[in-house]
Amino acid sequence: MAQVPQRFFDALAVRTWCGLSLRALGRAREEIDAINVYPVADGDTGTNLYLTLESAVAAVEAVFAAHEVDESPRDAAEAPPDAGDGPSLADAVGAMAHGALIGARGNSGTILAQLLRGMAQVLAARGDSAHTEGPGLRLALRHAAASARQAVAHPVEGTVLTVASAAADAADGVEGDCAEVARAAYEGARAALAATPGQLPALERAGVVDAGGHGLVTVLAALVETFTGRAPGPVAVPHARVAHGGEDRAGAARACAAAEGHGTQQERATDEGERPPAFEVIYLLEAEDAAVARLRPRLDALGDSLVVVGGDGLWNVHVHVDDAGAAVEAGVEAGRPYRIRITHFGHGDAHTTGTGRPPRERTQRAVVAVVPGEGLAALYAEAGATTLLARPGEPPASGELVQAVRRAHAREVVLLPNDAELRHTAAAAAEQARAGGIRVALIPTRSAVQGIAALAVHEPERRFDEDVVAMTSAAGATRHAEVTVAERQSWTTAGICQAGDVLGLIDGDVAVIGADVAQVAATVLDRMLSAGGELVTLVLGDEAPPDVADHLEARVREAYLAVDTVVYRGGRQGALLLVGVE
């Protein structure tokens, strides 16, 4: 990461800012989590902001890797290049915005994604320009604040929206370079953050500033560091009525907010004798603008804390509701939802404290699985697993896996990554969860069909070690294959394939190249069953031919006695067909 101060806001400055912001949020994450009392006191604002920005950083790094950029820093006094092999400013900010959008977590992360998108819209509109200076940065900050406010169904003052507007207002009065604009925005945001307890009763009662606003000030401090080479001093966070120490402080703040009412929507619900919504629903949505315009009022009627961000056919939807299914169904009617995350607000938040409900006890054991399609997610959930939906080509980060493990709310967790490429990521997530006191066993499943086999023998009543051994044995005894379509010409273990060829992969290696899906699938199945088998599992993707399952079932019946076949619909899973043979 270049530490030399950047003079202009160009692609390298975007990269530097994102990296410094992620590092700063990593340091401040626990403190921000600890003061999270609004809109829901669930203590995860800092973590959600970190995960959102982690996704943005990954997208920016991917753009630089694709351009094979020389990472040596430029001299600050050097004039910005107008041409070269590196990504343009539009490329970098576009990647930043897209990465944040697809990785946005929680209410705060979703708003941060829209702030970054708002900046990107202004900066990318500058065409082929390799950089922008102070005036361009001022316009970007103004548009970011306005677009974030528009994305929230019911904007509330004293939140990150107020802090963003104050930053833009402060920057408007500056005629200097990027460093001066960034410094003014930071100072304006910091002053607005200090004033948030006087604007939002929930914050005043808890004696804290707004957690999302604190996160934005942290990000703006990184912007100052990008252009000056020096980070501003740490943000002063009042904790007037909060005990010292991370978890104690968090619990005291949340207990205070929950016991005295939660302000605005939560407070009104308490005054009216109603219970606030119990679920947070988040999903990415592919839909047209007109469909999203119809979706907004429908979701707003179902619950609160509605934030819909995005555009150009891709949106991130966040809402708190009682009927999670209705929120997802509304998304299905509007377009194609995926990466669906449904979280029940659990022990210690405003939805369970002071409402007459007993705190939710941890279960003894849970299974957490990464799955590639909506159909498989439903199948795993029916079997009792906590699922994390992974879109093809966009594997989850370790932080998302840790969140899923925590969401399972169990003392013991069996983790099924269901992808060979996720082995190291899952191992890092398991280690982090263990540090938090959760006993985690990682079963290195390489395919969702191996995960199905492991889940089929899962028995929570058994001793943990015995259960893990049985699940590992079942997964290991299941050969896996997939049928997919080649995206480009490539060398494979079965020869050269062309774009559009149908590929049959067995245990991760290309074994068959053909032109017909049914024929390739049949050949794959024959090779797998030549070594014997008792059960064939077929998982059909959305784009698989409708008759391929019938064709394969008939082949198994006719050619392989005493072999059973089960068929599942996997949804949008990337591969046309997944095959498992036990």
Side-chain angles (χ1 to χ4, degrees):
M1 181 62 60
Q3 298 298 323
V4 174
Q6 302 299 305
R7 183 178 174 187
F8 303 94
F9 200 50
D10 59 3
L12 184 57
V14 173
R15 186 187 200 187
T16 303
W17 178 37
C18 287
L20 291 173
S21 296
L22 186 65
R23 190 170 69 185
L25 283 174
R27 291 193 299 263
R29 180 183 62 80
E30 291 185 3
E31 182 174 44
I32 296 173
D33 283 345
I35 62 171
N36 173 203
V37 299
Y38 183 88
V40 175
D42 48 357
D44 63 357
T45 291
T47 299
N48 286 336
L49 289 170
Y50 181 87
L51 292 173
T52 301
L53 201 53
E54 183 181 48
S55 181
V57 168
V60 172
E61 290 300 322
V63 166
F64 271 82
H67 284 80
E68 298 181 349
V69 173
D70 177 4
E71 297 186 4
S72 59
R74 297 195 306 270
D75 187 281
E78 191 178 292
D82 291 322
D85 296 330
S88 67
L89 173 61
D91 289 336
V93 295
M96 173 186 72
H98 180 73
L101 177 67
I102 64 174
R105 300 297 297 265
N107 190 71
S108 54
T110 308
I111 293 174
L112 176 61
Q114 187 65 9
L115 287 167
L116 297 179
R117 177 179 172 81
M119 291 187 69
Q121 287 175 324
V122 170
L123 298 172
R126 304 181 74 83
D128 295 331
S129 175
H131 72 282
T132 190
E133 300 187 35
L137 182 55
R138 286 202 314 268
L139 289 175
L141 290 168
R142 169 57 61 198
H143 186 64
S147 61
R149 190 170 287 270
Q150 292 170 1
V152 178
H154 301 284
V156 175
E157 297 306 324
T159 65
V160 62
L161 299 177
T162 304
V163 176
S165 295
D169 290 342
D172 279 344
V174 176
E175 296 298 332
D177 59 13
C178 287
E180 293 181 36
V181 171
R183 191 180 294 109
Y186 166 75
E187 293 296 344
R190 189 172 67 166
L193 176 66
T196 55
Q199 297 173 292
L200 200 53
L203 303 178
E204 185 176 25
R205 286 190 291 266
V208 297
V209 296
D210 179 66
H214 183 0
L216 179 57
V217 171
T218 302
V219 170
L220 290 173
L223 186 64
V224 174
E225 185 177 0
T226 298
F227 294 113
T228 67
R230 182 173 300 178
V235 179
V237 181
H239 297 104
R241 298 177 53 184
V242 184
H244 296 291
E247 290 303 316
D248 292 338
R249 186 173 67 216
R254 292 196 292 272
C256 175
E260 298 188 35
H262 226 329
T264 60
Q265 293 162 334
Q266 273 71 30
E267 194 169 61
R268 289 199 302 271
T270 302
D271 292 342
E272 296 166 6
E274 299 176 1
R275 175 180 56 79
F279 295 96
E280 177 184 60
V281 178
I282 305 173
Y283 51 79
L284 292 178
L285 177 68
E286 293 179 351
E288 300 297 327
D289 290 4
V292 173
R294 294 189 297 269
L295 175 66
R296 290 179 190 267
R298 181 170 177 184
L299 290 177
D300 193 30
L302 288 175
D304 60 39
S305 296
L306 174 63
V307 185
V308 180
V309 304
D312 302 320
L314 180 62
W315 309 81
N316 192 305
V317 178
H318 170 281
V319 67
H320 295 170
V321 294
D322 270 329
D323 190 344
V328 175
E329 288 173 7
V332 171
E333 292 184 12
R336 181 189 291 273
Y338 59 96
R339 278 203 179 183
I340 301 166
R341 302 185 186 96
I342 300 174
T343 303
H344 183 274
F345 293 118
H347 172 66
D349 65 28
H351 295 151
T352 57
T353 306
T355 60
R357 293 182 179 183
R360 185 161 69 103
E361 292 291 334
R362 283 186 179 272
T363 59
Q364 182 60 32
R365 189 175 309 157
V367 176
V368 173
V370 180
V371 290
E374 297 88 346
L376 281 176
L379 174 66
Y380 273 74
E382 287 175 8
T386 295
T387 62
L388 179 60
L389 193 61
R391 188 183 190 190
E394 296 177 1
S398 62
E400 292 180 279
L401 285 172
V402 173
Q403 286 263 25
V405 170
R406 291 172 179 163
R407 194 169 73 239
H409 206 64
R411 298 181 183 88
E412 302 169 339
V413 171
V414 180
L415 182 57
L416 305 175
N418 292 338
D419 186 338
E421 299 298 322
L422 283 179
R423 181 166 58 92
H424 296 298
T425 301
E431 192 61 34
Q432 187 175 343
R434 291 184 193 113
I438 304 172
R439 189 180 185 188
V440 181
L442 172 62
I443 298 178
T445 47
R446 302 177 65 188
S447 169
V449 292
Q450 288 187 322
I452 291 173
L455 200 54
V457 300
H458 169 55
E459 291 186 13
E461 297 79 16
R462 274 193 300 227
R463 288 179 56 244
F464 185 65
D465 293 338
E466 292 176 355
D467 197 29
V468 171
V469 168
M471 295 176 72
T472 303
S473 177
T478 302
R479 299 191 70 194
H480 62 94
E482 66 177 80
V483 176
T484 189
V485 176
E487 296 181 355
R488 63 185 67 84
Q489 184 186 58
S490 179
W491 287 89
T492 76
T493 52
I496 300 176
C497 70
Q498 306 295 328
D501 282 349
V502 180
L503 307 180
L505 290 81
I506 299 177
D507 293 333
D509 294 323
V510 176
V512 183
I513 301 174
D516 181 78
V517 174
Q519 290 180 356
V520 169
T523 302
V524 166
L525 195 55
D526 286 341
R527 293 191 184 182
M528 296 179 74
L529 287 172
S530 64
E534 299 176 355
L535 176 66
V536 172
T537 301
L538 304 175
V539 183
L540 299 178
D542 278 348
E543 298 180 358
D547 59 345
V548 67
D550 293 338
H551 174 76
L552 295 175
E553 283 188 287
R555 187 177 189 87
V556 172
R557 279 197 308 269
E558 295 168 3
Y560 303 97
L561 299 178
V563 177
D564 295 324
T565 305
V566 293
V567 180
Y568 302 111
R569 299 284 172 178
R572 191 180 184 189
Q573 63 185 22
L576 300 175
L577 176 69
L578 299 178
V579 183
V581 173
E582 298 178 46

